[in-house]
Amino acid sequence: MGKKLFGTDGIRGRVGENPITPEKILHLGYSAGKVFIAMDWHLKKGERPVVLIGKDTRVSGYMLESALEAGLSAAGVDVLLSGPMPTSAIAYLIRALRLQAGIVISASHNLFEDNGLKFFSQDGVKLPDEIEARIESGIESPIKTMPSAQLGKVQRIKDASGRYIEFCKSTFPYQLDLRGLRIVVDCAHGATYHIAGHVFHELGAEVITIGVEPNGLNINYECGATHCAALQDAVKLHRADLGIALDGDGDRVIMVDEYGTLFDGDQLVYIIAKHRFQQGNLKGGVVGTLMTNLAIENGLKHLSIPFLRAKVGDRYVMEKLCEKDWYLGGESSGHIICRDKHTTGDGIISALQVLYALRDNNQTLSELLKEIRLYPQRLINVKVNRSFKFSEDSLIQNVIREAELDLNTKGRVLLRASGTEPVIRVMVEGESDQKVNFWANRIADVVQKNCNTAD
């Protein structure tokens, strides 16, 4: 069965437009409930599957939470509500509370006009493709509400944030602390606003928090992991040792040093990998993506650390990690997976692993990366119709070959269709800024001229 609604990271779209409408989410909840009811959970007689619903701070979360809750209840599934919580916290709580599944209402790093759903299994990982396809296939079926005695019940978890804070702290070595560090934490007015500061403070750091006043409309707006200028300014203003930027649902992290210099997910993965390798605790190698900077691959190779590229998307990084039985992987966007610490990407926990390396080596972020010089990389998004197949266009393929010949093995060209938006992402990477910009612009122009541009 194919999927049309589910992308690389669940379902996402503009609120009020299909499929992010109350009616569609109601049917989606009901379909998911019927799929969960039919699965073999080894429950005792009379017990129902229990699904945990979390959300970020978007104003539309209230509406979608009610619709989703109603659909699940109508199908006969019990529901727990956590309120605003990071995506990774829901993945943790599913396992901690021995639940059957979890759903996060979030559009991650997007602005408040968008929203979406991410589904997690009882193991705290994204649902397999076949289960998502079964849920999607039943979304048009009529809702047949269970008899009143068999309806699902709903209740709230009151200690969700406290449980998760303690879990995050447990991933940092007990013999170390963060005393003497002044850290600025940007929570993007998102799901970590009441959590992240406490984690770093309780480990001993002096913490200044920004982006912790959500109003339903300001999530990710000029703040967080996708807009780090506010964090850079705050680090310099407060003369902090470093800054940590999370995104709206807390699964991404970007960091800055005392000078406000940005360090992306590629660089942070390298810091963690190098530290673990030096300790003898790196199992296997590292998984990146098609977008991982070539300098990181070369740096890991210099340390004799195996490196593999997965398709873009944290689910594909996780799949490759599980296939190889490795523990560390991530994306330049800041999705970092430490499988020995958690079952999914977690911005807070990933930041703690970087801080562990910093503390253990008594070095700054820039000192930990002194041997790495990132290759210039240019990414251009070209809006297209979803049906456009760039791989079948001879003019596009010709200009890609021209670029690769000119870069002469000292760079890369990558075109890929977004899994969440109707765009083609054009990426060019190489040693020369001039060549990178020239070829990125030229390829993007050819794509633009040879596709049926979306309205």
Side-chain angles (χ1 to χ4, degrees):
M1 292 183 288
K3 298 187 298 180
K4 295 181 180 178
L5 295 181
F6 284 88
T8 56
D9 199 18
I11 297 171
R12 193 176 300 178
R14 184 59 55 100
V15 174
E17 299 177 6
N18 189 51
I20 312 299
T21 65
E23 180 183 17
K24 187 67 75 171
I25 298 302
L26 173 67
H27 281 262
L28 186 66
Y30 178 77
S31 180
K34 297 302 287 184
V35 170
F36 294 150
I37 288 285
M39 294 175 69
D40 183 12
W41 301 111
H42 302 290
L43 298 173
K44 295 179 182 178
K45 186 176 181 180
E47 288 184 335
R48 292 184 285 258
V50 183
V51 175
L52 174 61
I53 299 177
K55 60 182 180 180
D56 62 25
T57 56
R58 292 161 215 273
V59 66
S60 58
Y62 296 99
M63 173 181 72
L64 301 180
E65 179 184 60
S66 297
L68 186 61
E69 169 194 333
L72 289 164
S73 178
V77 172
D78 287 344
V79 175
L80 294 178
L81 304 175
S82 72
M85 288 292 289
T87 291
S88 46
I90 300 305
Y92 161 69
L93 289 167
I94 294 166
R95 294 183 297 122
L97 299 174
R98 307 302 191 269
L99 308 179
Q100 281 65 58
I103 305 171
V104 181
I105 302 169
S106 175
S108 191
H109 60 282
N110 292 23
L111 295 177
F112 81 96
E113 295 95 342
D114 294 338
N115 218 327
L117 301 179
K118 302 180 183 183
F119 287 76
F120 287 85
S121 74
Q122 64 179 341
D123 298 317
V125 299
K126 303 286 176 65
L127 283 184
D129 287 338
E130 59 269 23
I131 302 299
E132 289 182 343
R134 285 171 57 189
I135 292 172
E136 189 171 317
S137 69
I139 197 171
E140 300 300 333
S141 301
I143 293 177
K144 298 179 181 179
T145 305
M146 297 293 286
S148 293
Q150 298 175 41
L151 291 174
K153 298 178 180 179
V154 182
Q155 66 182 84
R156 290 196 172 271
I157 304 175
K158 296 181 180 179
D159 60 345
S161 60
R163 284 173 177 262
Y164 179 61
I165 288 169
E166 290 303 313
F167 169 64
C168 290
K169 288 162 54 183
S170 74
T171 67
F172 191 78
Y174 180 76
Q175 69 273 19
L176 294 178
D177 59 52
L178 301 178
R179 287 187 177 89
L181 282 181
R182 179 179 293 173
I183 302 174
V184 179
V185 182
D186 183 350
C187 297
H189 300 300
T192 64
Y193 78 96
H194 58 317
I195 289 172
H198 292 292
V199 173
F200 299 107
H201 174 72
E202 291 178 21
L203 288 171
E206 178 187 348
V207 179
I208 297 107
T209 54
I210 62 175
V212 289
E213 298 177 351
N215 61 16
L217 309 178
N218 59 0
I219 186 170
N220 296 314
Y221 180 69
E222 296 184 351
C223 59
T226 53
H227 297 87
C228 295
L231 177 65
Q232 292 169 299
D233 290 343
V235 166
K236 288 182 280 189
L237 174 66
H238 294 283
R239 297 182 179 180
D241 296 292
L242 56 92
I244 297 168
L246 305 164
D247 71 334
D249 73 330
D251 62 357
R252 292 187 182 197
V253 62
I254 301 293
M255 298 178 72
V256 305
D257 67 9
E258 67 272 28
Y259 303 109
T261 305
L262 282 175
F263 295 87
D264 68 10
D266 287 348
Q267 294 166 298
L268 301 183
V269 166
Y270 179 83
I271 288 174
I272 299 170
K274 180 182 174 182
H275 180 232
R276 292 185 174 193
F277 177 75
Q278 291 170 337
Q279 289 186 315
N281 292 332
L282 180 66
K283 182 176 180 180
V286 173
V287 174
T289 73
L290 297 172
M291 299 297 292
T292 298
N293 196 282
L294 195 56
I296 301 299
E297 179 176 358
N298 291 340
L300 292 171
K301 188 182 297 182
H302 182 72
L303 294 172
S304 300
I305 297 175
F307 176 79
L308 291 174
R309 294 181 184 271
K311 291 190 294 184
V312 174
D314 61 330
R315 71 155 53 217
Y316 302 115
V317 174
M318 177 62 83
E319 285 177 3
K320 188 69 72 175
L321 286 172
C322 292
E323 175 189 318
K324 302 294 292 186
D325 197 23
W326 293 355
Y327 283 170
L328 178 63
E331 303 184 271
S332 55
S333 61
H335 284 127
I336 299 174
I337 298 171
C338 302
R339 272 185 66 221
D340 57 330
K341 304 299 180 184
H342 202 352
T343 59
T344 190
D346 187 306
I348 295 174
I349 289 175
S350 298
L352 287 174
Q353 307 315 299
V354 175
L355 290 172
Y356 178 16
L358 186 148
R359 272 314 214 197
D360 203 32
N361 288 283
N362 194 29
Q363 291 182 307
T364 64
L365 288 171
S366 56
E367 288 171 340
L368 290 171
L369 280 161
K370 59 179 181 267
E371 70 271 28
I372 295 294
R373 179 183 174 274
L374 293 183
Y375 280 39
Q377 197 178 77
R378 179 80 186 279
L379 177 66
I380 301 176
N381 292 327
V382 183
K383 197 171 184 181
V384 299
N385 286 328
R386 288 190 181 276
S387 59
F388 179 66
K389 299 283 193 300
F390 68 85
S391 60
E392 300 173 4
D393 189 293
S394 61
L395 291 175
I396 294 174
Q397 296 307 308
N398 285 339
V399 74
I400 290 173
R401 282 191 287 271
E402 287 179 41
E404 289 174 337
L405 283 171
D406 189 38
L407 293 169
N408 192 27
T409 73
K410 295 181 179 180
R412 298 187 300 132
V413 177
L414 174 68
L415 270 67
R416 68 179 185 88
S418 168
T420 57
E421 304 171 80
V423 299
I424 299 298
R425 305 197 195 281
V426 177
M427 190 278 287
V428 179
E429 178 181 63
E431 291 184 326
S432 164
D433 270 311
Q434 185 177 1
K435 282 189 177 184
V436 165
N437 286 319
F438 172 79
W439 285 113
N441 287 322
R442 182 169 176 186
I443 294 169
D445 286 343
V446 174
V447 172
Q448 186 75 64
K449 291 174 183 175
N450 287 276
C451 73
N452 295 315
T453 306
D455 295 332

